[in-house]
Amino acid sequence: MDVNQLLKNTISPDNDTRANAEQQLSSAAEQDFSGYLRTLAQELANDQAEQDVRMAAGLALKNSFSARDNVRRTEVQARWKQQLDQELKEHVKQQALKALTANDVRAGMQAAQFVASIAAIELPRNEWPNLMPGLVHNVTEGSDNQKQTSLAAIGYICDIKEPELQASLGHYSNTILTAVVQGARKEEPNNDVRERAMSALVESLEFVRTNFENEGERNFIMQVVCEATQADDERVMQAAYGCLNKIMGLYYDKMYFYMEKALFGLTIQGMKHEEEDVAKLAIEFWCSVCEEEIAIEDDNATAEAEGAPQRNYYNFAKIATQEVIPVLLDLLTKQDEDAAEDEYNVHMAAYQCLSLWSQAVGNTIVPPVLQFVESNLRNEDWHFRDAAVSAFGAIMEGPDEGTLETIVTQGLPALINMMADPVVQVRDSSAFTLGRVSECVPSAIGPSSLEPLVSSLFAGLASNPRMASSCCWALMNLAERFAGEQGCQENPMTPHFDNSITALVQTTERMDGDNTVRTAAYEVLNTFVANASMASVHTVANLSEVILKRLEESTPLRQQVVSVEDRLKLDEIQTSLSSVVMAIIQRLDTEIKPQADRIMQALLQVLDSLNNKSSVADTVFAAIGALATAMEDDFQKYMSSFSPYLFNALNNQDEPALCAMAIGLVSDITRSLGPLAQPYCNDFMNSLLENLKVGYDSLLLVPLLRLTGAQSTQLANQFKPAILQCFGDIAQSIGGAFETYLSVVAQVLDQAASIRMDHANTFEIMDYVVSLREGIMDAWAGAIIAMKGDNKSELLRPYVGSIFNLLRMIDTDNEKSEALLRSTMGVIGDLADAFPPGELSEFYQQDTITSLIKDTKSNRDFSSRTLDVARWAREQAKRHTGVAQDGDSPEATVTRGVKLFCESGGPSATSGGDEVTHLPSIVEAAESSPKAAENAAYAIRKTISQKSANPPNQQYNAIMLLRILVDNPGATFTTHVASEKFVETVRMTCRLSPDPSVQQLLRETLQTFAREKREERDANLKPLMEMWSKEQNIPMPGTKEQSRSYHNNVRNANMPGSQQASGSS
């Protein structure tokens, strides 16, 4: 077959013909890449060739050196750099430039894309110095076709988001600007050229910042753009308004003069334009203004707090409110009843702008919008009723809370009534607005409004599929906003819970109903279950019977599927059912055990009926993970039947989502089984280590850029960090038995740590490196805790140097996430705790450790959990630096004293069992320093926590110390006992402590406080006493009525140091 026919076949509408031609082209490129390029370049430049042939040749050439995936693009660009001689490169480039002059504009445009792909390689290397001047020459001196194609090439080049290329384009800013302004001027008679020039200007704006700083050049650019908004060609107008949008985002601080003189009037004129695409872009200009001013206010608030310089803030939106808002409100009435739900039209653009305006100007927007709402809410024309409802919803974020509560309280009954409007579009907008109200101003929804509100939303859900999305979103917001405190007996939704579940079950059981409605109803069901109060738990348990029955009945239907549509419908149903099962498990937690056998059997039957490509398996695996977490070590009885499915998924790299789910499930299962997971760990480790090889020649993680193809990159980015974290979970579960795997895991972690941030040439790879380091730290934390727990810390000594090398890299790199620093703090503390004081002094005296701890502790944006771990890491590090010695600060004295007091009398005690000798120094230090008192409360809380690995005698001593310090120093200490964390720790230890003596002593202590009415003497004890009063109504001991959110907290706490008194709650 000749090359022309082959190229034509690559764009054939027939799949088989196209695939065969693409395969032949790929083979030709592999066999003789130089000849392949030469042939394609000749066809691209051949004016006698057919248009389809030339376009196919240009597309194949472009694809030879560009790719969306960063890693793949790096690989194909290397072929140009390394495999081709200079003569061939010059020939191919000349042919591409020749194609830009083609009479056939479409072929020239394809050549422009190819030129851009080569420019991305050569411009950063200064290897094509005459390209940009040549393109400018074409624009100023060439034919209309040359102008279009050359401007397109400039636009394509500027649009490539590669850091090296973008940096190099700054050198060509004058050249680029000369070309695009020349083509965009009103004197240019050809509107095709003018439109291309405006589009190129949009892409080049980031590289002409120097020119924009020059007032004369800036004035000329703005004049050209503003004149283009008045063009007689709508394409030029669209490009001009798009250009103004980007200019506002990039150069807000330069816009005051232009807003006053031109932009204000031009954009209002554009918003009223009869051509919808022009109007939308003019509306989006004001969206850009609002977004920029919202960002500036946030930036200035931060700058003010830090004493830094603030940005210029001109209040453009606030000043323009009285003129622009009426236009937006009028545009809200331009609905198209035939438009698709997700179609972006003028109505949607106006709504988006109104919402942003509300956030930008706050209370200023309320009067004009309320006036519009009141005037049109009962208008005979449904377009105006719909606009009124939509406008009300658009301003639910921005004005102050008091203002919003007032207008919502007054308007809510009318909104609920609008759910009965005869026009479905109005009902849908009403449901969405009610969702906005429940999301942003739930405090305005009183008990008397809740019942009609819920009823109206369920009525809307049942009435029309179009309303399903809005009604369900509103119902989910209500369930979440009115969930109440964790573990509460009742919440505001409790009176409506049973009827809501009944209505949702009825909606979902319509097997012949609309898939959208059914799926949305299942999502609402999940949310209601997850946020059920204790009084509604029995309903959740009853619901499990219904859902399990449906899931069991769905499996045989797999044999009756005869079409793709039937299969997709069944997949959707089983996915929804499995997700509800998971929500029920998480809500009932250990109370699910009586139904566990049936649940597991149903889920295994579903897995057995699926093929390897089914998406249902992901949700089924998630449900099994929830069951494993709830069952804890009782889950072992299912391992023999479930493990084949788990290992099949774990080894299925062709399905990344399923494989990733399986990796996470290994973590869940090993955490649940604990030491009982050991028999399965050889297979787990082998599969995980095999997955680390995906895209590599070996276990080495270093050659990141050698990955080939998007699939391999996806596996690398998705699998590697999760696998390393999984190593840590396995280690913590099996303890000292992890010794078997320690050396190979240490080798993998060491190799992964060698990937430096300077290897990353894109933001995606930077994020990957940060995630990888999080995984490394989690793995080391698990290994350290495992070895220390079984007195095998010496096995870690050969790897201490490698760990501190990575800590130095993390400290010197700028890219650090909060999760990475929290994990790093855990490793610093755990490693210090694993060795006797002073043995690692040469490492802990390094500036790196001080710097990391200081940076973490001083970051006000970090969560209290992270700050707690950092404080704990600092105290542990002092054990090796000699700082915490006699004559130390009260804070250090307390930390050391509480530790020695609690360890007294235990098998590993270092103080001879005479705990009373440590008491005076603890009390004295706590009296003298509020911070020392806080440290004492913190140390006691961490010691008595049911999640800690501290032996019972230490917990027992900590409770005794609590009783003493409540009396002396008293309020200085008890102010920290009143914290939510302390109360929650005491509550859960009362419930879940595995040691009866600890549980009994803690209960006796609380009972003594209650009997003596200590809270009357010390108000700080009131939260503790209120908790104890509620807890006495719960069946104890031996039950674990954990809510889903608490259970998730427990799982999330599996982090470095979480098994020690490491501050990782």
Side-chain angles (χ1 to χ4, degrees):
M1 182 180 295
D2 63 53
V3 67
N4 286 351
Q5 187 60 48
L6 181 61
L7 287 170
K8 289 179 67 174
N9 287 349
T10 61
I11 55 176
S12 168
D14 182 73
N15 290 337
D16 293 338
T17 301
R18 187 172 63 253
N20 184 51
E22 290 172 349
Q23 179 59 44
Q24 291 185 58
L25 273 184
S26 179
S27 299
E30 290 297 326
Q31 293 170 12
D32 180 11
F33 190 52
S34 297
Y36 170 80
L37 294 180
R38 191 180 296 273
T39 300
L40 292 182
Q42 288 171 349
E43 291 304 316
L44 175 63
N46 183 4
D47 282 330
Q48 307 306 313
E50 297 179 38
Q51 182 186 75
D52 288 349
V53 172
R54 299 183 74 178
M55 292 186 63
L59 180 62
L61 285 167
K62 178 187 75 75
N63 290 342
S64 297
F65 302 108
S66 63
R68 292 182 180 179
D69 175 70
N70 291 324
V71 177
R72 174 63 179 167
R73 183 168 60 249
T74 300
E75 183 183 72
V76 297
Q77 288 180 344
R79 300 173 75 179
W80 176 271
K81 298 174 186 176
Q82 301 167 9
Q83 296 183 18
L84 306 178
D85 59 51
Q86 194 60 35
E87 182 276 328
L88 177 60
K89 291 181 183 178
E90 292 300 325
H91 174 74
V92 170
K93 290 189 292 185
Q94 287 303 318
Q95 295 293 88
L97 292 175
K98 179 183 175 183
L100 291 180
T101 67
N103 292 328
D104 183 347
V105 175
R106 293 183 62 192
M109 292 296 180
Q110 195 64 65
Q113 293 190 42
F114 174 49
V115 167
S117 69
I118 301 304
I121 304 172
E122 296 214 333
L123 289 184
R125 297 155 60 92
N126 298 316
E127 292 181 347
W128 203 352
N130 61 345
L131 171 62
M132 301 306 285
L135 294 176
V136 173
H137 176 78
N138 289 349
V139 174
T140 56
E141 303 294 337
S143 65
D144 286 348
N145 283 1
Q146 279 183 286
K147 291 178 181 180
Q148 288 185 62
T149 56
S150 297
L151 286 166
I154 292 172
Y156 292 145
I157 292 169
C158 293
D159 189 40
I160 296 175
K161 307 303 181 187
E162 294 184 26
E164 295 87 351
L165 174 62
Q166 292 183 334
S168 69
L169 287 176
H171 303 302
Y172 297 99
S173 62
N174 289 330
T175 304
I176 293 171
L177 201 55
T178 299
V180 297
V181 171
Q182 175 74 22
R185 294 180 309 155
K186 66 179 180 180
E187 291 79 10
E188 172 57 56
N190 189 310
N191 282 326
D192 291 332
V193 172
R194 204 173 174 195
E195 186 269 334
R196 276 292 167 188
M198 289 303 308
S199 298
L201 179 57
V202 171
E203 301 300 342
S204 65
L205 282 170
E206 295 182 37
F207 312 112
V208 296
R209 187 171 293 275
T210 302
N211 306 84
F212 239 86
E213 293 295 330
N214 182 291
E215 184 178 359
E217 294 186 53
R218 182 173 68 246
N219 287 342
F220 184 57
I221 296 171
M222 293 301 296
Q223 178 184 338
V224 169
V225 177
C226 289
E227 289 173 346
T229 65
Q230 305 303 299
D232 55 5
D233 188 293
E234 291 168 356
R235 296 172 304 155
V236 178
M237 295 177 69
Q238 292 173 39
Y241 280 114
C243 193
L244 288 178
N245 294 348
K246 191 164 185 179
I247 288 172
M248 180 56 71
L250 292 172
Y251 303 109
Y252 173 92
D253 62 318
K254 308 292 185 189
M255 288 297 105
Y256 187 87
F257 172 78
Y258 306 104
M259 287 290 286
E260 185 180 45
K261 297 297 183 182
L263 299 184
F264 177 79
L266 288 176
T267 52
I268 290 183
Q269 178 185 346
M271 292 163 67
K272 298 177 180 179
H273 199 280
E274 61 182 13
E275 174 55 42
E276 185 173 84
D277 289 336
V278 173
K280 285 190 297 187
L281 285 161
I283 295 168
E284 287 173 14
F285 171 81
W286 285 103
C287 290
S288 298
V289 171
C290 293
E291 288 173 337
E292 194 63 23
E293 294 195 334
I294 292 168
I296 290 173
E297 283 199 286
D298 289 342
D299 292 344
N300 285 351
T302 302
E304 183 179 10
E306 296 176 351
Q310 299 186 25
R311 297 176 59 188
N312 290 334
Y313 180 62
Y314 299 127
N315 253 327
F316 290 143
K318 194 168 188 176
I319 293 170
T321 295
Q322 296 304 318
E323 287 76 19
V324 177
I325 293 303
V327 179
L328 290 174
L329 293 171
D330 180 65
L331 292 172
L332 278 179
T333 68
K334 309 301 181 185
Q335 305 93 329
D336 179 3
E337 48 263 53
D338 298 324
E341 288 186 52
D342 57 350
E343 181 178 331
Y344 184 69
N345 49 33
V346 168
H347 170 80
M348 291 297 295
Y351 180 88
Q352 178 185 4
C353 189
L354 195 63
S355 178
L356 288 168
W357 208 290
S358 178
Q359 296 172 52
V361 306
N363 289 352
T364 303
I365 201 173
V366 174
V369 170
L370 280 189
Q371 182 180 355
F372 178 82
V373 172
E374 291 168 356
S375 300
N376 294 286
L377 198 60
R378 292 175 176 82
N379 196 300
E380 292 183 1
D381 187 337
W382 75 264
H383 295 84
F384 286 85
R385 296 199 304 275
D386 181 81
V389 170
S390 297
F392 191 83
I395 64 169
M396 286 298 102
E397 188 176 359
D400 63 60
E401 187 175 344
T403 300
L404 287 175
E405 282 190 7
T406 300
I407 64 174
V408 169
T409 301
Q410 295 172 353
L412 190 57
L415 274 177
I416 295 173
N417 290 337
M418 295 301 289
M419 289 292 292
D421 193 277
V423 179
V424 67
Q425 285 90 342
V426 179
R427 298 201 303 273
D428 186 32
S429 296
S430 300
F432 187 81
T433 296
L434 289 170
R436 288 276 288 169
V437 168
S438 58
E439 178 187 42
C440 302
V441 204
S443 56
I445 304 175
S448 61
S449 301
L450 201 52
E451 193 282 326
L453 174 56
V454 172
S455 298
S456 68
L457 290 171
F458 275 112
L461 178 60
S463 68
N464 194 299
R466 180 189 176 109
M467 298 177 61
S469 176
S470 298
C471 289
C472 287
W473 180 61
L475 286 166
M476 287 190 288
N477 284 340
L478 288 174
E480 291 170 349
R481 295 301 186 274
F482 292 100
E485 294 295 326
Q486 175 183 318
C488 62
Q489 184 63 26
E490 291 189 349
N491 60 38
M493 291 297 290
T494 300
H496 317 290
F497 189 86
D498 289 0
N499 290 339
S500 297
I501 295 297
T502 300
L504 289 167
V505 169
Q506 290 172 350
T507 302
T508 57
E509 71 185 355
R510 297 202 300 264
M511 299 296 288
D512 58 341
D514 186 272
N515 275 0
T516 304
V517 176
R518 181 172 50 245
T519 302
Y522 274 123
E523 291 178 4
V524 180
L525 201 55
N526 283 344
T527 307
F528 269 72
V529 168
N531 294 285
S533 67
M534 296 300 295
S536 301
V537 165
H538 70 283
T539 304
V540 175
N542 294 336
L543 174 66
S544 65
E545 292 289 333
V546 176
I547 299 300
L548 277 175
K549 186 173 184 292
R550 290 187 187 179
L551 187 61
E552 291 164 344
E553 292 174 348
S554 72
T555 304
L557 298 178
R558 188 70 60 178
Q559 305 301 321
Q560 303 173 24
V561 168
V562 294
S563 67
V564 173
E565 183 179 356
D566 289 342
R567 179 177 61 78
L568 293 176
K569 182 177 180 180
L570 182 57
D571 282 356
E572 199 167 320
I573 291 172
Q574 288 189 324
T575 297
S576 296
L577 289 168
S578 299
S579 67
V580 177
V581 169
M582 178 173 66
I584 292 171
I585 294 170
Q586 291 172 327
R587 183 62 190 90
L588 296 181
D589 198 49
T590 56
E591 301 304 312
I592 199 68
K593 287 184 178 181
Q595 293 178 287
D597 290 351
R598 183 183 175 190
I599 291 173
M600 195 65 187
Q601 183 179 0
L603 294 173
L604 290 176
Q605 286 174 347
V606 173
L607 284 177
D608 195 51
S609 68
L610 302 175
N611 59 44
N612 289 336
K613 301 291 184 180
S614 176
S615 61
V616 180
D618 295 1
T619 313
V620 173
F621 270 39
I624 292 175
L627 186 63
T629 303
M631 295 285 290
E632 297 180 332
D633 55 7
D634 288 341
F635 188 80
Q636 185 187 26
K637 63 183 177 180
Y638 305 127
M639 283 301 294
S640 59
S641 56
F642 173 59
S643 56
Y645 300 101
L646 176 59
F647 286 114
N648 182 56
L650 199 58
N651 298 321
N652 186 2
Q653 293 91 2
D654 293 332
E655 295 295 324
L658 183 60
C659 189
M661 181 66 71
I663 293 169
L665 193 49
V666 169
S667 290
D668 290 342
I669 289 174
T670 53
R671 284 198 297 261
S672 297
L673 295 183
L676 296 179
Q678 189 174 346
Y680 312 100
C681 284
N682 280 343
D683 291 332
F684 285 156
M685 292 298 296
N686 286 334
S687 294
L688 294 172
L689 291 168
E690 281 298 315
N691 279 330
L692 282 177
K693 294 181 181 180
V694 175
Y696 300 96
D697 296 330
S698 67
L699 283 179
L700 295 177
L701 301 181
V702 178
L704 181 66
L705 301 183
R706 293 183 59 192
L707 284 167
T708 56
Q711 177 80 346
S712 295
T713 306
Q714 185 176 9
L715 292 174
N717 292 350
Q718 191 171 355
F719 285 7
K720 271 58 178 182
I723 290 173
L724 301 185
Q725 291 168 352
C726 193
F727 288 156
D729 290 327
I730 291 173
Q732 288 195 60
S733 299
I734 64 175
F738 193 74
E739 174 187 354
T740 305
Y741 316 110
L742 182 60
S743 61
V744 68
V745 169
Q747 179 189 8
V748 171
L749 298 180
D750 193 36
Q751 293 166 348
S754 66
I755 300 180
R756 302 182 60 86
M757 196 60 73
D758 52 20
H759 293 161
N761 57 1
T762 68
F763 291 117
E764 289 179 3
I765 298 180
M766 286 182 184
D767 289 342
Y768 169 72
V769 174
V770 171
S771 296
L772 194 66
R773 288 178 174 177
E774 290 173 14
I776 296 169
M777 284 300 168
D778 287 343
W780 274 125
I784 293 167
I785 292 169
M787 296 302 105
K788 176 183 178 295
D790 281 4
N791 297 318
K792 295 183 177 181
S793 297
E794 279 301 313
L795 296 175
L796 298 167
R797 196 176 292 276
Y799 314 113
V800 171
S802 297
I803 294 173
F804 277 86
N805 286 338
L806 177 57
L807 293 175
R808 278 191 292 273
M809 279 199 292
I810 293 173
D811 183 41
T812 55
D813 287 335
N814 292 326
E815 296 297 323
K816 303 190 241 325
S817 67
E818 179 181 356
L820 174 59
L821 286 174
R822 184 170 59 243
S823 298
T824 299
M825 293 300 101
V827 169
I828 290 173
D830 289 327
L831 193 60
D833 193 43
F835 288 88
E839 285 202 7
L840 302 181
S841 59
E842 63 177 296
F843 297 102
Y844 279 91
Q845 288 174 354
Q846 296 173 5
D847 292 340
T848 290
I849 304 304
T850 304
S851 174
L852 282 170
I853 294 175
K854 181 179 178 181
D855 287 348
T856 306
K857 283 176 67 268
S858 62
N859 194 316
R860 292 180 296 176
D861 294 331
F862 286 175
S863 66
S864 59
R865 174 186 171 195
T866 300
L867 300 179
D868 283 348
V869 185
R871 283 190 285 267
W872 175 79
R874 180 193 60 183
E875 295 305 321
Q876 294 303 313
K878 286 180 180 179
R879 299 174 65 248
H880 295 271
T881 60
V883 175
Q885 303 298 327
D886 290 339
D888 213 347
S889 65
E891 294 82 2
T893 298
V894 157
T895 301
R896 184 173 63 254
V898 172
K899 182 176 186 298
L900 294 173
F901 182 98
C902 294
E903 290 179 350
S904 297
S908 59
T910 59
S911 54
D914 194 7
E915 59 268 12
V916 72
T917 60
H918 308 294
L919 194 55
S921 63
I922 296 173
V923 174
E924 181 180 353
E927 285 180 327
S928 65
S929 165
K931 184 62 179 176
E934 179 183 356
N935 287 1
Y938 173 84
I940 291 172
R941 175 171 67 86
K942 298 307 297 181
T943 304
I944 66 174
S945 171
Q946 54 87 23
K947 295 183 289 184
S948 73
N950 297 309
N953 73 289
Q954 292 186 21
Q955 294 180 307
Y956 197 98
N957 288 347
I959 297 170
M960 293 297 298
L961 185 58
L962 169 65
R963 299 175 73 157
I964 294 168
L965 295 181
V966 163
D967 286 327
N968 189 16
T972 306
F973 171 75
T974 57
T975 186
H976 307 292
V977 171
S979 73
E980 181 179 347
K981 285 186 177 181
F982 198 104
V983 173
E984 180 65 8
T985 297
V986 172
R987 183 173 75 89
M988 298 316 297
T989 302
C990 281
R991 288 187 177 192
L992 304 179
S993 175
D995 189 90
S997 63
V998 171
Q999 211 173 42
Q1000 181 179 353
L1001 179 62
L1002 188 53
R1003 289 169 159 277
E1004 289 175 355
T1005 298
L1006 295 172
Q1007 192 61 43
T1008 299
F1009 289 169
R1011 185 174 59 252
E1012 296 176 359
K1013 297 183 178 180
R1014 292 288 188 93
E1015 71 275 15
E1016 295 180 4
R1017 286 183 284 158
D1018 188 345
N1020 292 330
L1021 293 175
K1022 188 175 180 180
L1024 200 62
M1025 294 297 93
E1026 289 177 346
M1027 176 276 293
W1028 175 239
S1029 177
K1030 294 178 182 178
E1031 285 297 296
Q1032 291 181 88
N1033 297 324
I1034 299 176
M1036 292 290 176
T1039 62
K1040 290 192 286 182
E1041 298 190 5
Q1042 299 159 285
S1043 71
R1044 175 191 178 200
S1045 58
Y1046 168 73
H1047 191 69
N1048 285 338
N1049 286 340
V1050 172
R1051 292 181 59 190
N1052 291 337
N1054 281 320
M1055 51 168 288
S1058 64
Q1059 302 302 313
Q1060 312 296 319
S1062 62
S1064 58
S1065 62

